[in-house]
Amino acid sequence: MNEDLKVNLSWLPRDYVDASATENISAAVSSQVPVVEPEPELVVNPWDIVLCTSGTLISCENAIVVLIIFHNPSLRAPMFLLIGSLALADLLAGIGLIINFVFAYLLQSEATKLVTIGLIVASFSASVCSLLAITVDRYLSLYYALTYHSERTVTFTYVMLVMLWGTSICLGLLPVMGWNCLRDESTCSVVRPLTKNNTAILSVSFLFMFALMLQLYIQICKIVMRHAHQIALQHHFLATSHYVTTRKGVSTLAIILGTFAACWMPFTLYSLIADYTYPSIYTYATLLPATYNSIINPVIYAFRNQEIQKALCLICCGCIPSSLSQRARSPSDV
């Protein structure tokens, strides 16, 4: 009845349209207008905010190290190349955490998820591999002290850099090239869209590199203790002085390795035993300490270095403090 009324009213004079007909028209029209529901409010996960904040701090801190090494021609020794590689990897990891937050809430798509997770995997893999390369370099500098400063060492350093970055990039490309769980959620790991097998490979690789670093640092401790003992005998130091120097070197190595294990071991072990069905709060709680390792790395490996301290002082105040210029390197500075 309402449809006939609507059709016929188009040609009738307006005077013949009564009030009841007008009400029927309004009812008919309103019944055909779709109801627009309000858009749901954007709810931000507090854990994502913490990760984004951590990524911002990581980016700022490591950007300083990268700029110092890049703009200072004197910092081209193998040790500084490896420290620069570590800082660059951590810088990319921080940028990846920031991009992940932006894409998760502003630009959601499968492509952005894969690219972001690929960047994070590649950068954190390069960071861990750079730590292993620095450990190898420290061992070689002590074990082959007489031949360390040679062209062979520089070539070996470049080979390590190419291998670690090539391997890290390949690991980051795996999710982008199709090894992900977007099509089959049952294969997802604790970090979506990485598969369970993918995280298992990453975790086992980390445990292998940690075991190798542990073995190398044990050998470094033995060399440091032997060198400290020889220096004490040559300069007729007291036994207590030799003990203090040796203890300082061992404590430094213990802090380096202990910090690395404390940051990465919880997430590594959790990734091996858990899957996508576990509460996400456990993933955040174990992943956050792993990001802290990228915050601590510049403090341990870069800002403690005397040459980088000098370069930083030149940039900030245009001078080198006398305490830095007169400081001698001891066996504990490993």
Side-chain angles (χ1 to χ4, degrees):
M1 181 64 179
N2 290 337
E3 293 180 359
D4 295 339
L5 181 62
K6 186 176 66 174
V7 172
N8 295 330
L9 284 174
S10 62
W11 54 269
L12 282 176
R14 182 167 300 181
D15 296 336
Y16 290 93
V17 181
D18 56 3
S20 60
T22 305
E23 294 178 359
N24 291 335
I25 295 174
S26 301
V29 173
S30 61
S31 63
Q32 296 179 0
V33 175
V35 179
V36 179
E37 298 181 356
E39 296 182 0
E41 295 183 359
L42 181 63
V43 180
V44 180
N45 190 336
W47 286 98
D48 289 332
I49 298 178
V50 176
L51 284 176
C52 183
T53 304
S54 177
T56 304
L57 182 58
I58 291 171
S59 301
C60 296
E61 195 176 12
N62 287 278
I64 296 174
V65 180
V66 172
L67 291 176
I68 290 175
I69 296 178
F70 180 78
H71 287 288
N72 198 329
S74 62
L75 303 179
R76 294 295 182 269
M79 175 180 59
F80 296 112
L81 293 177
L82 295 175
I83 293 177
S85 172
L86 174 63
L88 178 60
D90 289 334
L91 171 61
L92 294 176
I95 294 175
L97 292 175
I98 298 173
I99 294 177
N100 178 67
F101 178 83
V102 174
F103 283 169
Y105 293 98
L106 299 180
L107 187 61
Q108 298 182 3
S109 67
E110 292 186 358
T112 56
K113 288 181 181 179
L114 295 176
V115 172
T116 303
I117 197 65
L119 175 61
I120 293 176
V121 169
S123 55
F124 276 123
S125 299
S127 177
V128 174
C129 291
S130 295
L131 291 175
L132 176 60
I134 291 175
T135 307
V136 173
D137 178 74
R138 286 180 169 180
Y139 172 76
L140 294 178
S141 67
L142 294 173
Y143 192 80
Y144 300 101
L146 298 178
T147 60
Y148 174 75
H149 299 283
S150 63
E151 289 295 329
R152 182 178 299 180
T153 304
V154 177
T155 304
F156 180 72
T157 302
Y158 280 112
V159 171
M160 283 198 300
L161 289 174
V162 171
M163 290 180 60
L164 74 88
W165 278 100
T167 303
S168 301
I169 292 174
C170 290
L171 292 174
L173 288 176
L174 288 179
V176 182
M177 300 301 293
W179 199 8
N180 56 71
C181 64
L182 293 180
R183 298 290 181 267
D184 186 7
E185 189 174 352
S186 61
T187 62
C188 284
S189 64
V190 294
V191 180
R192 194 175 183 274
L194 294 180
T195 63
K196 180 69 175 177
N197 294 334
N198 195 340
T199 55
I201 292 176
L202 294 175
S203 300
V204 172
S205 300
F206 168 82
L207 293 176
F208 172 77
M209 287 188 288
F210 177 75
L212 184 58
M213 290 176 62
L214 179 61
Q215 179 63 28
L216 288 174
Y217 272 125
I218 291 176
Q219 298 300 321
I220 290 175
C221 282
K222 293 180 179 179
I223 297 174
V224 169
M225 293 174 65
R226 185 167 63 249
H227 285 184
H229 180 67
Q230 292 174 354
I231 294 174
L233 292 178
Q234 292 175 0
H235 295 80
H236 305 287
F237 287 164
L238 297 177
T240 54
S241 176
H242 165 239
Y243 172 74
V244 170
T245 303
T246 304
R247 187 183 63 179
K248 182 180 178 182
V250 174
S251 300
T252 302
L253 296 177
I255 291 174
I256 292 174
L257 197 61
T259 301
F260 177 68
C263 290
W264 276 105
M265 198 62 72
F267 179 73
T268 301
L269 298 178
Y270 179 71
S271 299
L272 285 174
I273 63 176
D275 55 23
Y276 73 100
T277 59
Y278 281 61
S280 60
I281 187 174
Y282 297 148
T283 303
Y284 284 110
T286 54
L287 179 60
L288 190 60
T291 64
Y292 290 161
N293 187 67
S294 296
I295 300 176
I296 301 173
N297 283 338
V299 178
I300 294 179
Y301 296 95
F303 297 137
R304 288 179 64 250
N305 185 275
Q306 183 177 350
E307 299 300 323
I308 294 181
Q309 289 178 3
K310 291 180 180 179
L312 185 59
C313 290
L314 284 174
I315 294 175
C316 295
C317 61
C319 61
I320 299 177
S322 58
S323 59
L324 288 178
S325 59
Q326 298 176 359
R327 177 187 170 190
R329 184 176 176 86
S330 67
S332 62
D333 294 333
V334 293

